[in-house]
Amino acid sequence: MKRIFTISLGLAILSSASLSILAAPPAVQSFDLTRFQYKAKNTAAFKGERVERINRINSLMYPLQTPAFAAEEPEYQPNVSFGPANNIGDLDGPNGEPWYYTAFYEYEVIPADYDNGIWFDDYILRSFRYDIYDTEANLVGSIKDIMRYEEDEERAVYYDLTPFVSRNFFNTSDDIELGVGFGVNSRTPGNNHYRTLIYSIGGPKDANGNDEPIMVFPELISDVAEGPASADGRDNFYIAFSNDVILPEEEEGADGSEPDSYWDYLTRQALTVNIMGRAENNEGPSLIHTQTIPLINLPGDQEGSPFMFNLNHDGKLYYLFNYLQKPLWERYDDPFLSDMVQRPDNNLQIFLYSIEGKSMNLLQTTLIPTIKDADDPGAIASFYSVGDMRYKEDVVFEGFGQPEGKADFYITRINYTPSSDSSTSSFYAYDYEGKKLRTYAEYCNSTLAISDLPGFEPQQMFVQVIGGAYQMTFIDLYSGNEAFATSNYYSISDLDEPEYIMANVDRTPVGDSYKYAFEMTYPVEIDEDSMLRVLWTNADGSFDHIDMVNVGEGVFYGQFYLSKESLEPGIFNNDDDQREYLYMVKRGVPGNDTTEDVGIGQPVSDLNPEGKTLLSVAAGEKGSLYGIVPYLYGENKHLNIYFFQENSKTNQAGLSMDIYNLPLKPFTGISSVENGNNSLRVNGSEVSAAGLISVYSPSGALIAKGNRHLNLSDLPKGFYIVEADGECAKIRL
């Protein structure tokens, strides 16, 4: 039975904080709800938000240096290929497994009509099909349907599968549930129309064989959270839907404005936020919490700053809302925004809730004064938010000595200057009572989160212009101490010319400390081969060494993917103890303009005097490289490479994806391991041998290494493979 839900539901946030650079003053009239449509977790990607932030910072430092996407016959072939299709994506599958989908769309083409000022062909979506695959690339099932437009609707301008799989959420059936979200232009002035159609694989079909939605919501799914495991073993999701609404007209508008005034129009535009829990019967999911937020009260830049997100801490699920107590601006009546003045008596409200079962409990309310910066006279306003520095990690449950159950916050303040269309960002820590604890850095161009490491404080890099040069300052966030600072030209020694480095940087554990890896701005040429370089420093910023990766001839520029996970030896290959690097390059090719390649290579070393290319993938029959997404977490590590073959005239499917399982060369002794009888000894969680000991997961990932002795008691319970001195042992902890 199809059910039409008409309650206005809520809005959450995507996967990471947006870059703290503002392009224009907020204009709530153009708020784009689809920016907040729920997307799959994309924690590490050339097309991910951390890399976008890195590229934005680098474009400030080196405006003529464009980040881009090296070339031999590839040694490895993809394990799985998808496409071509109109779209390809990932799904959050059951038990955290990565699932996949391909999308196929059919359009009605409306030709250009130059006589009537229509300069381009228009494509009207008429039908869609999504094929769903599990983590082993087996087809799970498909859904297909026609597009049903309302009488006043023009065209769908946004449409895609919501990237998660559920069971027992929308009803109590065990069928797989999927949602398809739409944003549709309307011929009626006002907001766009949004809706989400819920289908189940194997569900009801109409007379023409099209799948019928089991439920329809007039909103978008914008947040999916997984709560603690339920006693009955069913999925325990919480889902937020979203819509923008016009609040009912009152006799007197906000701040005493007359009904139907421009200010009244602004203050009546709002978002509704509803959080829903799973269905207990076939009546559908249950409403748990509702929040309504006027658009003119949104935090930060009022366009992309997070105003709601979920987070987990110590096995509990929390939700955070943050928005202004009052409208950001004093009342103004000019639609052209010429008389905007920031309201002086205002606060950023932070509401922290815990969620258990079907109840949502307010744990904490914190007020942060939103004071316009008097030291920046050119700024039209100062915008405050939580979530724009480290996103969910802007909520700090421990680290500042706060009472148990209380959270402190990292707060971002953005000053926007309209005369130069520019902004600066300042970053602070506030406690649960709204008291400022730390000032980290002010008037920054941007900031970047550095990976957390066990035993060390969380750390952030702040980028500022000091003395005419860009300075990158690394600060330990709990103590506020500066770890080290460097300009974007790094001095290796007093005898060498400074080397330019990029903001593409992260740290990785080494022994009982850690080291930083920076991408260097310019490659060096050796015998016509281009060497991309990585500068390594110690934790205090002192020089350690430079790795050079041979990426071949004709390179215009390149880019590494650097993260704590990608810098672990053995993450991409398990043939030796060498570290590998994932990179993209753009090179010139005789007879062509440029080509883009993606590769994995080992640096120049005594073992490999010219370096070693493990994987090299270039544009080919599948089209040009479109995106590279490495998934370096959990047991199912893989590298997704997307290709795009453009055919704008017919809008045909042109997107393909190849998946390479990681490591490329897994540990080969897993299938035939025996307990060693010579130097290798295993006694419970204690492992000893005459020399180097390596420990692997069953999938072949290197997870521990030591010399002569290892204690594995800190590893999770399960099976492991131990290798030393040519011997292997399969152990269970």
Side-chain angles (χ1 to χ4, degrees):
M1 175 180 178
K2 177 164 68 175
R3 231 171 245 290
I4 306 295
F5 282 66
T6 58
I7 55 175
S8 293
L9 304 178
L11 186 60
I13 276 295
L14 306 180
S15 56
S16 184
S18 59
L19 184 65
S20 301
I21 293 178
L22 206 62
V28 295
Q29 307 94 306
S30 61
F31 183 83
D32 183 3
L33 186 64
T34 61
R35 294 180 62 177
F36 298 94
Q37 167 78 350
Y38 176 75
K39 294 179 173 59
K41 295 185 291 291
N42 197 357
T43 53
F46 279 90
K47 292 181 72 66
E49 295 200 27
R50 187 177 193 272
V51 174
E52 290 176 7
R53 183 180 290 235
I54 289 168
N55 289 343
R56 288 287 298 274
I57 301 172
N58 287 336
S59 69
L60 293 172
M61 294 181 177
Y62 310 103
L64 300 180
Q65 174 97 1
T66 307
F69 283 98
E72 303 170 4
E73 288 298 315
E75 180 181 351
Y76 298 95
Q77 297 298 321
N79 299 89
V80 177
S81 296
F82 290 107
N86 289 102
N87 197 12
I88 297 173
D90 303 330
L91 294 166
D92 298 333
N95 303 315
E97 294 181 340
W99 282 23
Y100 306 95
Y101 71 90
T102 54
F104 301 90
Y105 304 122
E106 291 185 354
Y107 300 90
E108 176 187 354
V109 181
I110 309 298
D113 185 351
Y114 303 111
D115 293 337
N116 291 303
I118 302 174
W119 306 108
F120 304 97
D121 292 347
D122 197 6
Y123 296 90
I124 309 297
L125 178 69
R126 293 302 179 193
S127 68
F128 53 88
R129 188 185 93 224
Y130 293 96
D131 296 337
I132 312 302
Y133 299 86
D134 65 17
T135 190
E136 303 295 334
N138 299 311
L139 180 66
V140 176
S142 301
I143 55 172
K144 69 181 185 70
D145 200 0
I146 60 173
M147 183 65 193
R148 299 173 178 87
Y149 291 99
E150 302 294 336
E151 184 176 348
D152 67 335
E153 291 180 341
E154 189 76 29
R155 66 180 61 78
V157 293
Y158 171 86
Y159 38 91
D160 201 5
L161 192 69
T162 305
F164 84 104
V165 172
S166 65
R167 288 186 177 94
N168 314 128
F169 185 86
F170 295 98
N171 57 37
T172 56
S173 166
D174 286 332
D175 292 339
I176 291 173
E177 304 163 337
L178 299 161
V180 184
F182 295 90
V184 186
N185 281 157
S186 169
R187 288 186 289 270
T188 303
N191 293 340
N192 287 334
H193 295 177
Y194 302 103
R195 55 180 171 269
T196 299
L197 278 59
I198 306 299
Y199 297 88
S200 64
I201 291 182
K205 296 182 183 293
D206 64 15
N208 296 316
N210 295 311
D211 288 278
E212 292 184 330
I214 59 174
M215 293 178 187
V216 176
F217 296 84
E219 295 90 9
L220 293 178
I221 291 177
S222 51
D223 185 78
V224 178
E226 187 169 3
S230 56
D232 58 12
R234 292 167 56 196
D235 292 339
N236 190 23
F237 286 118
Y238 296 88
I239 298 179
F241 289 73
S242 59
N243 206 1
D244 50 1
V245 298
I246 302 295
L247 298 176
E249 187 174 4
E250 301 177 355
E251 292 185 4
E252 186 177 84
D255 296 348
S257 60
E258 294 296 324
D260 294 327
S261 67
Y262 182 66
W263 181 248
D264 179 54
Y265 164 73
L266 290 178
T267 56
R268 288 171 53 210
Q269 294 188 80
L271 296 166
T272 54
V273 176
N274 269 32
I275 298 169
M276 305 193 76
R278 70 184 190 182
E280 300 298 338
N281 50 49
N282 287 328
E283 294 301 311
S286 55
L287 179 63
I288 294 176
H289 181 79
T290 302
Q291 198 102 3
T292 301
I293 307 172
L295 296 187
I296 203 166
N297 291 45
L298 286 172
D301 62 10
Q302 299 202 321
E303 292 181 350
S305 294
F307 56 87
M308 176 260 194
F309 51 80
N310 73 78
L311 60 149
N312 283 276
H313 176 68
D314 283 347
K316 294 182 180 180
L317 180 63
Y318 298 85
Y319 278 86
L320 180 142
F321 293 87
N322 80 120
Y323 54 94
L324 299 172
Q325 270 188 321
K326 303 175 184 179
L328 172 64
W329 309 103
E330 296 278 18
R331 175 180 172 175
Y332 63 90
D333 294 298
D334 179 9
F336 297 99
L337 312 179
S338 64
D339 57 351
M340 296 165 67
V341 177
Q342 182 175 353
R343 183 184 300 272
D345 55 335
N346 209 352
N347 293 289
L348 178 70
Q349 306 172 107
I350 305 173
F351 303 103
L352 184 64
Y353 294 84
S354 68
I355 189 166
E356 296 182 12
K358 297 301 174 64
S359 64
M360 194 159 168
N361 307 309
L362 180 62
L363 299 179
Q364 176 182 325
T365 300
T366 300
L367 301 180
I368 308 295
T370 56
I371 302 169
K372 185 174 180 293
D373 183 9
D375 295 329
D376 188 357
I380 188 175
S382 297
F383 309 133
Y384 291 74
S385 63
V386 58
D388 269 331
M389 189 173 105
R390 295 173 70 91
Y391 188 40
K392 296 182 182 185
E393 293 177 9
D394 277 2
V395 182
V396 185
F397 285 97
E398 297 152 4
F400 294 109
Q402 63 266 49
E404 185 176 353
K406 297 295 184 181
D408 298 340
F409 306 99
Y410 301 130
I411 299 296
T412 299
R413 184 193 71 193
I414 302 173
N415 289 356
Y416 176 69
T417 303
S419 61
S420 59
D421 191 21
S422 63
S423 66
T424 60
S425 299
S426 302
F427 303 94
Y428 311 93
Y430 283 78
D431 72 6
Y432 61 97
E433 295 179 316
K435 176 184 176 182
K436 187 187 294 184
L437 298 173
R438 301 275 188 277
T439 297
Y440 294 116
E442 295 185 302
Y443 310 112
C444 297
N445 297 89
S446 193
T447 187
L448 183 71
I450 302 301
S451 288
D452 291 341
L453 301 179
F456 297 95
E457 293 185 43
Q459 194 176 95
Q460 193 82 5
M461 180 185 75
F462 301 96
V463 181
Q464 300 164 289
V465 176
I466 297 178
Y470 286 95
Q471 177 166 295
M472 294 174 275
T473 304
F474 298 78
I475 295 179
D476 293 331
L477 293 176
Y478 292 160
S479 64
N481 294 331
E482 180 181 304
F484 94 101
T486 179
S487 74
N488 61 313
Y489 46 98
Y490 179 90
S491 295
I492 294 174
S493 73
D494 294 338
L495 301 177
D496 297 294
E497 290 291 327
E499 291 274 8
Y500 284 92
I501 57 176
M502 309 280 273
N504 188 7
V505 56
D506 209 350
R507 61 178 177 175
T508 190
V510 178
D512 58 358
S513 184
Y514 59 86
K515 296 182 188 295
Y516 298 97
F518 292 82
E519 180 177 354
M520 302 182 73
T521 306
Y522 303 111
V524 296
E525 300 291 327
I526 300 178
D527 296 330
E528 298 185 353
D529 285 335
S530 293
M531 301 286 178
L532 297 183
R533 300 181 295 162
V534 177
L535 171 74
W536 285 84
T537 76
N538 299 304
D540 62 359
S542 60
F543 175 73
D544 187 77
H545 73 282
I546 292 175
D547 276 346
M548 297 194 299
V549 179
N550 190 340
V551 296
E553 299 181 5
V555 172
F556 291 164
Y557 45 75
Q559 181 181 14
F560 284 109
Y561 177 75
L562 299 181
S563 72
K564 177 186 70 175
E565 291 75 23
S566 73
L567 294 169
E568 295 177 3
I571 191 73
F572 295 114
N573 220 50
N574 274 343
D575 58 349
D576 50 41
D577 294 329
Q578 293 289 308
R579 177 177 279 111
E580 295 90 22
Y581 292 95
L582 175 63
Y583 58 85
M584 301 180 292
V585 296
K586 185 183 287 287
R587 69 177 80 247
V589 177
N592 296 286
D593 291 333
T594 60
T595 184
E596 294 171 336
D597 310 332
V598 57
I600 297 173
Q602 292 179 350
V604 172
S605 65
D606 292 340
L607 181 65
N608 300 306
E610 296 182 359
K612 183 178 180 180
T613 301
L614 303 176
L615 179 70
S616 180
V617 179
E621 294 181 357
K622 295 182 179 181
S624 59
L625 285 172
Y626 181 72
I628 296 92
V629 184
Y631 290 85
L632 306 180
Y633 300 84
E635 287 295 316
N636 296 308
K637 298 178 179 65
H638 52 284
L639 174 67
N640 296 357
I641 302 178
Y642 293 82
F643 303 87
F644 182 67
Q645 204 155 36
E646 186 174 6
N647 194 331
S648 59
K649 290 188 176 181
T650 61
N651 214 31
Q652 291 177 348
L655 192 63
S656 303
M657 179 177 70
D658 289 346
I659 300 177
Y660 293 82
N661 292 340
L662 297 176
L664 295 170
K665 184 177 181 180
F667 180 62
T668 57
I670 293 177
S671 60
S672 58
V673 293
E674 299 291 343
N675 196 27
N677 296 315
N678 296 318
S679 68
L680 177 58
R681 294 287 183 268
V682 179
N683 182 13
S685 60
E686 301 286 332
V687 181
S688 60
L692 182 67
I693 304 169
S694 299
V695 181
Y696 299 87
S697 71
S699 66
L702 178 65
I703 58 174
K705 188 167 59 175
N707 192 31
R708 301 185 68 180
H709 179 81
L710 270 180
N711 185 312
L712 307 179
S713 59
D714 290 337
L715 293 179
K717 302 299 183 184
F719 286 101
Y720 296 90
I721 310 301
V722 179
E723 180 194 33
D725 196 25
E727 298 181 68
C728 296
K730 183 177 182 180
I731 66 172
R732 179 169 184 165
L733 299 178

